[in-house]
Amino acid sequence: ADLSSVDGVRFQARGDGRAHRVLVFSQSRGMMPLTYAFTAPAEWTEVVVPWSAFDIDGSDVMALLFVGSPPAGDFWFEVDDVELR
């Protein structure tokens, strides 16, 4: 998708206080995801991630994923109110 008309992604997150990640797949970068780490504190917190944080312009986004981060083991986080803007 060509999402270059928006600056990036904005969302609310809360969780276990650990770092988690947003992954972006772009056509120009192949199947290697681009990553951005965010912290999911106990209270809802706004996270804003510009495309430039992934070193892309948003013109060829294939997928956007929210995932846990190492270390291995139990984790939890919630994401809400996701917007492309």
Side-chain angles (χ1 to χ4, degrees):
D2 183 355
L3 303 176
S4 61
S5 64
V6 298
D7 293 330
V9 61
R10 187 204 66 83
F11 57 93
Q12 298 287 322
R14 70 176 177 178
D16 54 15
R18 292 178 33 189
H20 301 288
R21 292 182 283 175
V22 178
L23 305 182
V24 169
F25 289 86
S26 70
Q27 188 173 10
S28 61
R29 299 297 178 96
M31 294 311 295
M32 180 62 75
L34 307 165
T35 65
Y36 179 85
F38 68 94
T39 300
E43 300 297 322
W44 286 108
T45 302
E46 181 178 68
V47 180
V48 178
V49 188
W51 297 132
S52 61
F54 299 105
D55 197 28
I56 61 172
D57 65 5
S59 64
D60 61 349
V61 175
M62 296 189 310
L64 179 70
L65 299 136
F66 299 91
V67 300
S69 285
D74 293 342
F75 68 91
W76 78 272
F77 70 95
E78 296 176 281
V79 174
D80 195 11
D81 196 25
V82 178
E83 293 183 2
L84 298 169
R85 64 172 174 161

